Every structure is written in structure tokens, then in C-alpha cells.
Amino acid sequence: MRPLLEATANRAICYLEGLDARGVAPTAAALAALTLLDGPLPERPCDPHAVIALLDDVASPASVAMAGPRFFGFVIGGALPVTVAASWLATAWDQNSAIYRATPATAQIEATAMRWTLDVLGLPPQCGAAFVTGATVANFSALAAARHAVLERAGWNVEGDGLFGAPPITVIVSDEVHPSVTKALGMLGLGRSRVTHVPVDGQGRMRIDQFPALVGPTIVCTQVGNVNTGSADPIADIVDLASAADAWVHVDGAFGLWAAASPKYAHLTSGMESADSWATDAHKWLNVPYDSGLAIVRDPHALQAAMAITAAYLPTASSQRNPADFTPELSRRARGVEVWAALRQLGRAGVAELVERCCAHAARFATQLSAAGFEILNDVVLNQVLVAFGDSATTQRIIEAVQADGTCWAGITEWQGRTAMRISVSSWATTTADVDLSVMAIVRVARSA
Ligand SMILES: *Cc1c(COP(=O)(O)O)cnc(C)c1O
């Protein structure tokens, strides 16, 4: 076992060390070689060293350098070395971290990671939380708690009796709602289309003057951190409206919630601490490995009512926190371990500094690309930058050429009728030199494409 695991750790380290020197996108040859991993199911066992060697030799070059310093696509984030190491260790432990009595160590670590997360984000300490796979499942879990609570207030037990015959729930979303919220609403029987849309302003923020009257059981889905602009809905005003109507306010803050960890950017999220539930990712701005997100609910009982399982062989009514009482999964890996490691290493100051560094890099991108004559389409308030190089076809052509060049990688988006390159700076690994190198590449490619 030792030679295999040591050799594999060494391969992984070499992979990470090599990211800076290779192109961000894989070459066509590397992708073509993936067929070597295909073929019929082997009939007989073979040497595990050969398995790992094949995987590393073929798949590592075919991977996208998302863990490297110059990947700016989607909203990704890297993985802090301490979190990669913690993940290796937790994988070796192989704990099925569902119930406290079975895995007290990881259950306790997750309870601490939850408490620290609430603290660093400025959320109420009595909140409950679930460590899930990402913001999609976090949105799903938090909205399941919302569904429970608004129907309970209307005298209906949705977990027991389902939605057939239940009092209708009004669901309010933004015109800029993230598709994962829409999907979560569909999975919860609340309907992908059966929602009321609120129009947004030029930065993608819900317009408070366009809100409908809130009557009856109501869930309002808001957003902190628009995937294009980085902007946040006016949560304080929305919470005021909603609390007058006893409506539930949910915040999708997959990456944007982490602005609250920085004294410099916390104003963007002001008022969000008064919401009822929040969804966020740890695999984006906290820079832990996939897959890791958190559903956070002000009233832990609402989340527990939606998620707890009962079975004869499972202990009931523990005074300790059973992780699986709050998650859609029963058997689960202890995702909170990497969150714990990130927060233990960075501390409050380190998280703030990580957020501020990424935002400073985004501002530098915007300043330099604008100085080079390109158009910045958004107010760069956080870590997101939208760049247009001219009309839609030109912008698209330049984005493809930048991706092929390989110095850096940024994706394409549509923003209020314009085609744009979307640059998201979310990785601990990105330095000022990486930003300058990337700007030079983008300008060079744009001028010759
Ligand atoms: C990324 C993102 C999601 C989805 O998160 P996953 O981790 O991919 O499930 C939801 N909402 C927003 C605003 C996001 O940026």
C-alpha cells in the first residue's frame, strides 16, 4: 500500500507544480489520447501501480488547469494546498459521516466548521447547516426547509402529506435567478415555471419598486453575487418587505456570500444576515476541493424537519448533531473537514484577504483591459469582469482565440443583450503577475484575431 500511495501523492504534487507552465486548456492530442482509458471491461485484475500510471499519464494532461492560477472561467476557485491535504487524509479515514455515534470525530469537526462558517460570514450563531455537494443542493435543501416552514405556518405538514391539496405557495424570483434555484424549485414540486419574476436593474439587482404584494405562504429567492456582474440584490429592503408579510427570504450566495467575510466588501451583502436561509459554496471562493457547499437555515428545526430520516437501526433524539439529519444524503463523506482546514489555516483575516485579493485582481483586469481600449460592461464591484471586444461575433471569435492561446481561460456570456468575455477571479493561486500575463495575452490575441 505505501509505495502505491506515496507514488500517487508524488504524481499529484508534480501535476500541481506543472500547472503554471502548461496551457490552461488541454491540447487536442491530449484529449484524443483519452481513448487509452476506454476499451472493454478488463477480465482480470492488474497491478494497481499500472492503473495509477495510466490514469496520470493520460488524464492529467487532458484535464483543464482549473487548479492553476490563470483559469478565470465560470466561478471556480482553486483548492488551497491545506484543503487538498485534508481531503487526502479524510479520504484515508473513509468515514461514513452520517450519524454522530458512528463517526464522532468527523461529526464534531463538521460542527466546528459550521460554527466558524457562520462566524466568518456574520450569520446568526443559532443557524443550522448542512454540508452538501454544492450550491445547487444547498439551494434545494434550504428551499426544502422554506417549504416546510411556510406550509407549517399554514397548518400543513408537507413531509407527511406532500403537496397535493396543500395551500399554494407563492414563489418570487429575480429575472436573474440562477438556474440551479429554478432546478431546485422543480425538484421540490414548487415548479420551475410556476414563479413570479421580479425585473432587475442594469447590474442584475432585483428592483424593489417592482415587487408584487406579498400575500399568503411566500418564499422570496434573492441573490448575493450575480454570476455575471457580481452584484447583490437589495436584501435589507427585501427582508423588510418580506417580514411584514411573514414571507421566507432565501439568499443564493454561492460565491457572493463570502464578500461578507471582508470588512471592505461586506457592504454589498448588508442586510443578508436577516434572511431565513442561505446557500453557498465552499468549492468556489473558500477554495476547497469539489464537491462542497453549505445550506444554512436560521431555524435549524425547519431544515431538520425537511431532511431527517427515521429507521429502527438509526439512533434517535441524540443530543449530538447528526450530520445526516440536515442533508439529503444519508451515507456521506465528511465534507466539512476541508472547510475546517481552510478556516483553521486562513483564520478570519486570511479569508478576508483572499476575498480582497481576488477583487483587487478583478479591478486590475478591468483597468488594464479598459486602458487597452476594450469595453467593460459591468460595475466591477466584486470579482467578476465582463469584457466586450466589439460586436457579438468579434467578441466570440476573440474569446475562442484566447482559449486556444492557452495562457489563460475565460468563458463567454450574454449580458443584457451583449456578448461578453466573463472573467471571474476566485482562486487563491492567482497572483498580480498572472493577471498581467493574462491581460497581455488577451490584448495580443484580440489585436491579431
Ligand atoms: C455556482 C452557482 C450556483 C450553483 O452552484 P454549484 O456549486 O455549481 O451547484 C448557484 N448559484 C450561484 C449564484 C452560483 O454562482
Side-chain angles (χ1 to χ4, degrees):
M1 175 173 74
R2 174 175 289 274
L4 176 69
L5 296 184
E6 279 181 357
T8 307
N10 199 39
R11 283 179 176 274
I13 294 161
C14 289
Y15 172 80
L16 292 174
E17 285 175 344
L19 288 176
D20 196 32
R22 56 164 274 192
V24 178
T27 62
L31 288 173
L34 285 170
T35 52
L36 294 169
L37 303 183
D38 201 7
L41 171 70
E43 293 299 334
R44 309 233 166 268
C46 71
D47 176 15
H49 286 91
V51 174
I52 295 300
L54 182 63
L55 200 56
D56 185 33
D57 294 346
V58 175
S60 291
S63 69
V64 176
M66 287 183 173
R70 290 186 301 279
F71 185 88
F72 306 108
F74 313 102
V75 186
I76 289 277
L80 292 158
V82 73
T83 66
V84 175
S87 174
W88 286 351
L89 201 51
T91 299
W93 296 340
D94 196 25
Q95 301 289 286
N96 184 342
S97 208
I99 46 182
Y100 181 90
R101 277 231 310 259
T103 53
T106 49
Q108 275 188 42
I109 294 167
E110 289 200 319
T112 304
M114 172 177 84
R115 193 162 52 74
W116 288 355
T117 303
L118 297 175
D119 189 346
V120 81
L121 295 178
L123 295 176
Q126 79 276 10
C127 287
F131 289 94
V132 294
T133 49
T136 302
V137 177
N139 278 320
F140 169 80
S141 305
L143 290 169
R147 185 182 68 162
H148 169 86
V150 299
L151 285 180
E152 186 182 50
R153 279 179 220 149
W156 188 267
N157 173 355
V158 68
E159 285 75 29
D161 300 326
L163 279 175
F164 299 105
I169 301 174
T170 302
V171 179
I172 293 172
V173 302
S174 159
D175 268 347
E176 276 288 317
V177 63
H178 193 275
S180 67
V181 172
T182 307
K183 172 175 169 172
L185 291 169
M187 290 194 287
L188 287 162
L190 297 174
R192 292 189 184 207
S193 319
R194 198 195 143 280
V195 292
T196 306
H197 282 270
V198 173
V200 297
D201 67 13
Q203 297 302 315
R205 297 171 292 219
M206 282 169 118
R207 285 183 51 184
I208 194 82
D209 60 321
Q210 298 285 313
F211 257 71
L214 309 181
V215 250
T218 302
I219 300 170
V220 184
C221 300
T222 68
Q223 178 168 260
V224 165
N226 179 288
V227 286
N228 283 310
T229 65
S231 72
D233 288 334
I235 310 283
D237 294 343
I238 295 172
V239 167
D240 281 349
L241 269 187
S243 54
D246 215 14
W248 181 287
V249 178
H250 172 68
V251 180
D252 175 7
F255 66 97
L257 214 59
W258 293 88
S262 152
K264 205 168 156 197
Y265 293 94
H267 65 275
L268 289 170
T269 69
S270 116
M272 69 89 179
E273 65 285 351
S274 304
D276 297 288
S277 62
W278 304 261
T280 195
D281 267 318
H283 60 217
K284 286 180 179 168
W285 226 348
L286 189 58
N287 279 253
V288 313
Y290 295 97
D291 40 21
S292 185
L294 278 109
I296 303 170
V297 179
R298 175 181 296 278
D299 173 11
H301 304 294
L303 183 58
Q304 196 167 1
M307 293 298 164
I309 195 170
T310 46
Y313 62 91
L314 297 175
T316 51
S318 164
S319 59
Q320 303 291 352
R321 180 181 184 276
N322 289 324
D325 280 351
F326 300 91
T327 56
E329 302 88 358
L330 179 56
S331 293
R332 56 184 293 281
R333 76 180 188 93
R335 291 188 177 79
V337 171
E338 296 123 17
V339 174
W340 180 91
L343 294 174
R344 182 72 178 82
Q345 194 220 325
L346 294 175
R348 198 187 302 281
V351 178
E353 194 271 334
L354 170 62
V355 167
E356 288 164 15
R357 182 155 32 102
C358 290
C359 294
H361 290 333
R364 191 177 180 93
F365 263 116
T367 307
Q368 295 194 10
L369 289 170
S370 163
F374 305 119
E375 195 183 352
I376 307 301
L377 299 185
N378 65 317
D379 295 344
V380 179
V381 292
L382 204 62
N383 62 332
Q384 305 289 114
V385 185
L386 301 177
V387 195
F389 298 93
D391 64 15
S392 179
T394 307
T395 299
Q396 187 169 339
R397 188 160 40 79
I398 289 171
I399 292 169
E400 282 163 12
V402 167
Q403 291 174 355
D405 168 74
T407 307
C408 65
W409 201 102
I412 190 166
T413 192
E414 291 293 320
W415 178 247
Q416 299 191 340
R418 299 287 306 274
T419 301
M421 170 188 267
R422 181 170 65 153
I423 299 171
S424 171
V425 191
S426 321
S427 174
W428 70 278
T430 304
T431 64
T432 307
D434 288 311
V435 175
D436 294 351
L437 202 62
S438 301
V439 168
M440 269 160 46
I442 293 168
V443 171
R444 171 172 43 77
V445 168
R447 291 201 172 135
S448 64

